[in-house]
Amino acid sequence: MSKTRVAVNGYGVIGKRVADAVRLQPDMELVGVADVATDWRIMAARGKAPIFGATDDAARAMRAAGLDIAGTLEDLISAVDIVVDTTPKRVAAGNIQRYRDAGVKFVLQGGESHETTGHSFVAQANYESALGRESTRVVSCNTTSIVRVLGALHDAGLLSSARGVLIRRATDPWESHLGGIMNTVVPEARIPSHQGPDAQTVMPELDLVTIAAKGAHTETHNHYWTLRMTKQVTRDEVLDAFRAAPRVAFIRMSDGLVALNSTIELMRDLGRPRGDMWEVAIWEDLVTVQDDEVYLTYQVHNESIVVPETIDAIRALTGSAPDAASSMRMTDATLGMTGDFLTPSPGQPK
C-alpha cells in the first residue's frame, strides 16, 4: 500500500507536534516541513524532516542563517498529496489558492473560520462527511473538547442542553516572556463566546451556550459545565457514557491531581512527548448529578489536543481509512493513548 505523502506548513506549537505524529503513522510519509523562522524553532526540525522556506524571502533568510533547506513551499507541495497548514491565524487562509493551484488537499486549523473550507472536523462526530473532500478545518482546542465531551452524552441519548464557562490560558508557555495577562482575568467580550457556535459547525444539533475568560496562566484551559439531561440519570450512566467515548480520560483529585499543573506533570511522568495530553481530562470525582442536571469540570491541553484530530483529517480527505473508528484506532495506538491515565490497561502491570 502506498503511503500518503504529507507536508506540514508552519513548524510552531501545533505544526511540530503534527509533524512528529505523521512520522509515527504506518500509512503516512512526512515529505517536509515549511516555515519562515530562522531560529531555534525550525533548527529543531533538522534530522526529522527536510526543511523548506515558506516564501522566497524566508528561503533566502534560512540559507543565510546556515540552514540546509530543500527548497520553497512550492517545491514541497508539488511532491505531496496533502498539506497540513498550521500557520498563524489568517495566514493559512491566504495560502489556500497556492494549494489549489498545486492540486493538493489541505487541512487548516481552528484559527481560520468555518467558511474557509466549508467543513469543520472532529473525528468522532463527522469523519464520514469529510471523506474525499478537498479540505477541512480541524476546530480549535476548546471546540474539540466540547464536541468530544458533549458528543459523548449526545450519542448516549442523554444530553438536552449545555451551559459552559471556559477559563482560557493567557498564552502558550513558550511565549510567556513576550508579555501577557498578569494579576487579572479578562472576560471575552461577548456571550456566547465563539466556542459554542464553533462547536455547532460540527454538531449543529447541540443546544449550548459558552462564556469565556482569559486567566493569568499559560498551561491549559479549564471548563465548567452545567448540563441538562433528557431524563433523570444516575452518575454511573454519565460516567459510562464518557468511558465509551474516544479521547476522553478521567483524572481524580483523590489521586492528588488537584490543579492544572499537576496533570501536566503527570503527563511528563508518563513519558508523554513534551508533556502532551491528547485526551480531554475530566475530573471523575467532581462529576455531580442532581435529578436531570449534571455538573462537571475538565482540562484541555491546548498545545496537543488537536493533533490526533489532524491525523484523522488527513485520512478522511485522502480516503485512506474508510471510517472514523478505523482511523482513530490507528492514530491512538501510534500516539500511545491507552484510556484512563492511572488505571493500567489489560496486560499492563498494576
Side-chain angles (χ1 to χ4, degrees), residues 26-42:
D27 58 342
M28 298 181 192
E29 175 192 356
L30 179 63
V31 176
V33 299
D35 208 289
V36 296
T38 61
D39 59 12
W40 63 271
R41 291 167 293 176
I42 192 64

Side-chain angles (χ1 to χ4, degrees), residues 235-255:
R235 188 170 181 275
D236 283 341
E237 286 180 281
V238 175
L239 295 179
D240 285 345
F242 291 140
R243 290 189 184 103
R247 298 171 182 168
V248 172
F250 289 131
I251 54 177
R252 286 168 288 275
M253 289 200 166
S254 61
D255 290 328

Side-chain angles (χ1 to χ4, degrees), residues 18-319:
V18 169
D20 285 353
V22 168
R23 292 170 64 229
L24 294 174
Q25 306 310 307
D27 58 342
M28 298 181 192
E29 175 192 356
L30 179 63
V31 176
V33 299
D35 208 289
V36 296
T38 61
D39 59 12
W40 63 271
R41 291 167 293 176
I42 192 64
M43 289 177 182
R46 289 183 294 198
K48 293 184 176 182
I51 299 170
F52 294 77
T55 65
D56 290 339
D57 287 343
R60 285 190 289 270
M62 286 175 167
R63 291 190 181 100
L67 285 164
D68 182 15
I69 67 169
T72 64
L73 179 62
E74 275 65 31
D75 298 320
L76 175 58
I77 62 180
S78 69
V80 301
D81 304 304
I82 189 165
V83 181
V84 178
D85 191 311
T86 60
T87 57
K89 187 176 182 178
R90 287 184 286 275
V91 174
N95 288 330
I96 288 176
Q97 194 57 52
R98 300 170 80 177
Y99 304 145
R100 287 180 171 153
D101 289 346
V104 297
K105 295 175 183 285
F106 54 93
V107 179
L108 305 187
Q109 298 293 308
E112 302 303 327
S113 69
H114 173 75
E115 287 71 28
T116 54
T117 63
H119 189 274
S120 296
F121 183 91
V122 177
Q124 75 191 65
N126 66 345
Y127 181 98
E128 282 72 17
S129 66
L131 282 169
R133 288 181 55 89
E134 172 197 56
S135 61
T136 191
R137 160 187 170 264
V138 173
V139 294
S140 72
C141 48
N142 280 314
T143 303
T144 296
S145 76
I146 291 169
V147 173
R148 286 187 193 173
V149 171
L150 301 189
L153 297 173
H154 175 271
D155 292 346
L158 299 178
L159 183 65
S160 176
S161 62
R163 305 293 181 259
V165 175
L166 292 63
I167 308 298
R168 304 179 56 204
R169 61 95 180 94
T171 189
D172 286 324
W174 84 272
E175 292 185 314
S176 301
H177 65 291
L178 299 179
I181 297 168
M182 290 292 291
N183 196 34
T184 190
V185 172
V186 181
E188 192 159 314
R190 63 180 59 84
I191 299 175
S193 61
H194 71 273
Q195 295 87 1
D198 202 30
Q200 289 167 328
T201 65
V202 180
M203 296 185 69
E205 64 272 27
L206 290 179
D207 177 353
L208 78 159
V209 176
T210 51
I211 303 171
K214 289 183 180 179
H217 67 282
T218 62
E219 281 195 322
T220 78
H221 306 308
N222 194 195
H223 288 221
Y224 299 83
W225 287 91
T226 297
L227 309 173
R228 179 79 64 181
M229 301 290 102
T230 55
K231 61 178 182 177
Q232 289 195 8
V233 296
T234 66
R235 188 170 181 275
D236 283 341
E237 286 180 281
V238 175
L239 295 179
D240 285 345
F242 291 140
R243 290 189 184 103
R247 298 171 182 168
V248 172
F250 289 131
I251 54 177
R252 286 168 288 275
M253 289 200 166
S254 61
D255 290 328
L257 296 169
V258 297
L260 304 182
N261 57 300
S262 56
T263 308
I264 297 306
E265 187 68 11
L266 172 64
M267 296 303 108
R268 296 185 180 118
D269 288 345
L270 293 176
R272 293 290 186 90
R274 303 186 178 90
D276 286 351
M277 182 172 70
W278 305 291
E279 305 89 338
V280 180
I282 298 176
W283 267 281
E284 181 183 17
D285 37 10
L286 292 185
V287 174
T288 301
V289 175
Q290 292 182 356
D291 298 324
D292 65 345
E293 284 193 334
V294 173
Y295 312 98
L296 59 84
T297 183
Y298 64 74
Q299 183 173 354
V300 180
H301 191 238
N302 50 287
E303 297 174 276
S304 64
I305 187 175
V306 300
V307 171
E309 308 298 331
T310 302
I311 296 300
D312 294 328
I314 293 170
R315 292 199 181 96
L317 296 187
T318 59

